[in-house]
Amino acid sequence: MIEFWPLYVAAFVVCFILLPLTFFTVRQQKSSAIERFGRFVRFAGPGLNVKIPLIENIARTIDLRIQQMVVEVETKTKDNVFVRVHIAVQYFVLQSRLVDAFYKLSDPGSQIESHVLDIVRGQVPKMDLDHVFENKDSIAIAVKEELTESMTEFGYGIQTTLVTEIDPDQKVKSAMNDINAAQRERIAANERGEAERILVVKRAEGDAQSKALQGQGIANQRKAIIEGLQQSVDIFQKAIPGTTADDVMKLVLMIQYLDTLKDIGSSGKSSTVFLPHSPGGLTDLMQQISTAVMSANKVA
């Protein structure tokens, strides 16, 4: 029994070496390709798996989760503006075509990037810069459709594609901002002009109404004066028979004239007034007042 202990030790060493080469684990949402002498034999799923040591080996492990990559494409628009378009592509491995995904493409990211560059550079040059911004969803749809068609044979599906950014040259952006600012300034100027026009019209309407009311007030005032004088003449003729209307009118006007002089003299803020006050001057003044009142009566 003691003579065989070196065999036991050798067997233990062999088991200790081969055991890690026999059992292996695969993480969740991953899949490993098992090859035997360089030839594919099966897939190993998540969990604990067994392979023949020294004969079978893990060729490659692939991630089954959805992956994302961002492709930056520099191209020219129809109106000769260079832009950088950022395309986000979300892709995944098709479970039904795992063999194609493992062995047909060594670098799926580079393959997707090449297709995105080709598709975007075929779409954007057909549009003006403004249309590129307006139709970014249609660009994303075109990229997804063509990518799906081309990548399916390699075992990859396309979840979605998004145009995340459209970045023109800095000079172009400055020019666009200047155009936008000029348009807004023109709109603001039109609005300010319209507001000023409305203010002028309203002021003119208010001034016209004010003058109309002022003229109406003056006319009513003159009418009231004339009616008062007429009543005074009627009362005076009834009180003193034989007097004419002209005599009464002259007397009333003379009384108003004297009352005016009294008011001017009693006012502390009145200016110096020079008036002819001789009997001849009074007669001439009476004639002028009478003429003015008659003219006002005709106007009224």
Side-chain angles (χ1 to χ4, degrees), residues 52-182:
I52 302 174
L54 304 179
I55 297 176
E56 295 179 344
N57 67 294
I58 302 174
R60 183 184 172 193
T61 299
I62 195 169
D63 196 338
L64 301 179
R65 294 174 298 180
I66 295 176
Q67 306 292 316
Q68 176 170 303
M69 62 179 299
V70 179
V71 181
E72 180 180 335
V73 186
E74 185 173 7
T75 183
K76 185 179 71 170
T77 63
K78 187 177 180 181
D79 49 352
N80 297 321
V81 177
F82 281 91
V83 295
R84 287 183 295 275
V85 183
H86 296 258
I87 308 291
V89 180
Q90 295 179 349
Y91 63 96
F92 60 95
V93 176
L94 297 173
Q95 295 281 358
S96 60
R97 309 198 65 164
L98 280 176
V99 175
D100 295 332
F102 268 100
Y103 293 101
K104 281 193 174 182
L105 283 179
S106 61
D107 189 358
S110 298
Q111 184 76 8
I112 292 174
E113 182 178 0
S114 299
H115 279 79
V116 172
L117 290 172
D118 181 68
I119 297 168
V120 173
R121 287 173 179 168
Q123 292 285 330
V124 173
K126 300 177 183 178
M127 308 176 187
D128 293 333
L129 180 60
D130 292 339
H131 293 161
V132 173
F133 283 96
E134 294 172 0
N135 298 308
K136 68 174 187 176
D137 291 339
S138 63
I139 296 174
I141 293 173
V143 171
K144 180 181 179 181
E145 292 176 351
E146 296 194 32
L147 268 182
T148 300
E149 183 179 353
S150 60
M151 294 301 295
T152 300
E153 63 175 304
F154 299 110
Y156 286 88
I158 305 301
Q159 178 70 21
T160 185
T161 57
L162 299 172
V163 178
T164 58
E165 185 178 356
I166 300 173
D167 186 19
D169 185 79
Q170 183 61 39
K171 293 181 180 179
V172 177
K173 289 193 289 186
S174 299
M176 293 174 66
N177 291 333
D178 291 341
I179 293 172
N180 187 27

Side-chain angles (χ1 to χ4, degrees), residues 202-218:
K202 292 300 181 182
R203 281 196 295 265
E205 291 178 353
D207 187 56
Q209 293 178 358
S210 175
K211 290 181 178 179
L213 293 175
Q214 185 178 4
Q216 184 178 359
I218 293 173

Side-chain angles (χ1 to χ4, degrees), residues 212-232:
L213 293 175
Q214 185 178 4
Q216 184 178 359
I218 293 173
N220 291 335
Q221 181 184 11
R222 291 174 177 175
K223 182 178 178 181
I225 291 173
I226 293 171
E227 290 177 352
L229 292 175
Q230 184 179 2
Q231 292 177 0
S232 299

